[in-house]
Amino acid sequence: MTVLAEKDALELLGRGTIEIEGRLVDASNTTLRAEITLDGLTRRCVYKPVQGERPLWDFPDGTLAGREVSAFLVSQATGWDLVPPTILRDGPLGPGALQLWIDEPDTAEALIGFVPAYDIPSGWLAVANARDEDGDAYALAHKDDPRLARLAVFDSVINNADRKGGHVLYPATGSIHAVDHGVSFHVENKLRTVLWGWTGKSLIPEATDVLQQLTERLDGELGEALEEHLTVTEVQHVRLRVRRLLRSKRFPKPPQDWPAIPWPPV
């Protein structure tokens, strides 16, 4: 299937006709897979209606859908193409987040997972120890891969509280995409991720320029766009997190007062 340019994908999502196929039952909130068609072009998408969101005590403001869209806007500003095209629009069940569906080939090789503790693959970074039902030792680990390193920087910026391995997709293009950002952008440090392999290490070289560009854009159109979905204080804290990363030039360390790894991790 031909890969859509971002502009074309956003046009399709914004103006296409939505036909719901079914519900993704593993999701904690109402998450629907749908087909969307415009001028003879049809693609799949994910539709998350606001009315299907369960209230979260620690995210009382705005909507999860708005946070999904905000994650795309930040991703778009980085130029790293991490989050699939995502918009907020009316659908069959009212307003919600609409995101382009990402197909993964059967041969896609995951870069995050559990591996034998005594046989961690070369070029992988261990994150946490674990044991299976038989008591055998495993390690939660991920590959030391620049695509994941970009994602770790991105998650630090948006304060992602739920970066599971299963939220990272591997399309046939060789890139990676990340989904499920409804619990991001909190003003408190709630970073929870499986990508702790670079803890305390120097940021990847390209991150400095990207973060500097983000700083400028957050003071302009990006900041204004985020304020349509987040509180003013939440947007201010995005700026603060970017500045902290620029000052330290290092990947953050796990929080001490918040579980550092989501459950389940993958």
Side-chain angles (χ1 to χ4, degrees):
M1 184 177 292
T2 304
V3 177
L4 285 182
E6 182 182 277
K7 179 182 177 181
D8 296 333
L10 291 172
E11 180 78 4
L12 175 64
L13 292 173
R15 297 179 48 229
T17 300
I18 303 168
E19 184 175 343
I20 294 175
E21 293 183 320
R23 182 171 181 174
L24 303 180
V25 295
D26 291 338
S28 55
N29 294 281
T30 301
T31 303
L32 306 166
R33 192 173 77 173
E35 281 193 337
I36 187 163
T37 302
L38 178 67
D39 298 334
L41 175 66
T42 299
R43 288 290 191 273
R44 282 199 169 110
C45 63
V46 176
Y47 169 44
K48 297 183 178 182
V50 171
Q51 71 171 4
E53 296 179 2
R54 295 190 304 173
L56 298 175
W57 66 269
D58 54 344
F59 284 86
D61 299 309
T63 65
L64 304 186
R67 297 176 190 279
E68 296 273 12
V69 175
S70 297
F72 168 69
L73 293 174
V74 174
S75 167
Q76 187 182 44
T78 66
W80 282 338
D81 190 30
L82 292 170
V83 179
T86 310
I87 67 167
L88 189 69
R89 64 165 282 188
D90 278 329
L93 298 178
L98 206 64
Q99 184 174 82
L100 190 69
W101 179 273
I102 301 299
D103 285 311
E104 295 181 281
D106 294 336
T107 56
E109 181 181 358
L111 304 179
I112 305 166
F114 286 100
V115 297
Y118 305 108
D119 191 22
I120 296 174
S122 176
W124 282 56
L125 303 172
V127 174
N129 297 321
R131 291 188 180 275
D132 65 9
E133 295 177 351
D134 298 323
D136 294 326
Y138 282 81
L140 174 63
H142 62 75
K143 194 169 184 178
D144 185 4
D145 187 289
R147 293 168 294 176
L148 291 182
R150 290 174 175 177
L151 184 57
V153 174
F154 170 75
D155 282 339
S156 300
V157 169
I158 70 168
N159 197 17
N160 189 356
D162 195 30
R163 173 60 68 218
K164 295 182 173 73
H167 294 169
V168 181
L169 308 179
Y170 309 95
T173 58
S175 60
I176 66 168
H177 285 294
V179 298
D180 288 330
H181 300 103
V183 287
S184 300
F185 296 100
H186 204 285
V187 297
E188 298 175 8
N189 180 19
K190 290 184 178 290
L191 184 59
R192 186 166 57 178
T193 176
V194 295
L195 299 176
W196 288 117
W198 298 284
T199 296
K201 295 182 179 179
S202 297
L203 294 176
I204 51 176
E206 64 187 289
T208 299
D209 287 342
V210 169
L211 291 170
Q212 288 174 341
Q213 292 171 11
L214 270 184
T215 298
E216 296 170 5
R217 292 172 180 172
L218 283 164
D219 290 333
E221 291 184 359
L222 176 58
E224 293 174 2
L226 291 177
E227 287 181 8
E228 295 180 13
H229 308 289
L230 307 172
T231 67
V232 171
T233 303
E234 286 170 337
V235 177
Q236 289 173 341
H237 276 76
V238 178
R239 295 187 182 96
L240 290 173
R241 287 191 293 272
V242 171
R243 290 168 186 163
R244 281 199 295 267
L245 285 168
L246 280 170
R247 281 199 306 268
S248 70
K249 292 183 170 54
R250 294 185 177 277
F251 287 93
K253 297 180 180 180
Q256 300 300 311
D257 56 349
W258 177 257
I261 298 174
W263 186 262
V266 295

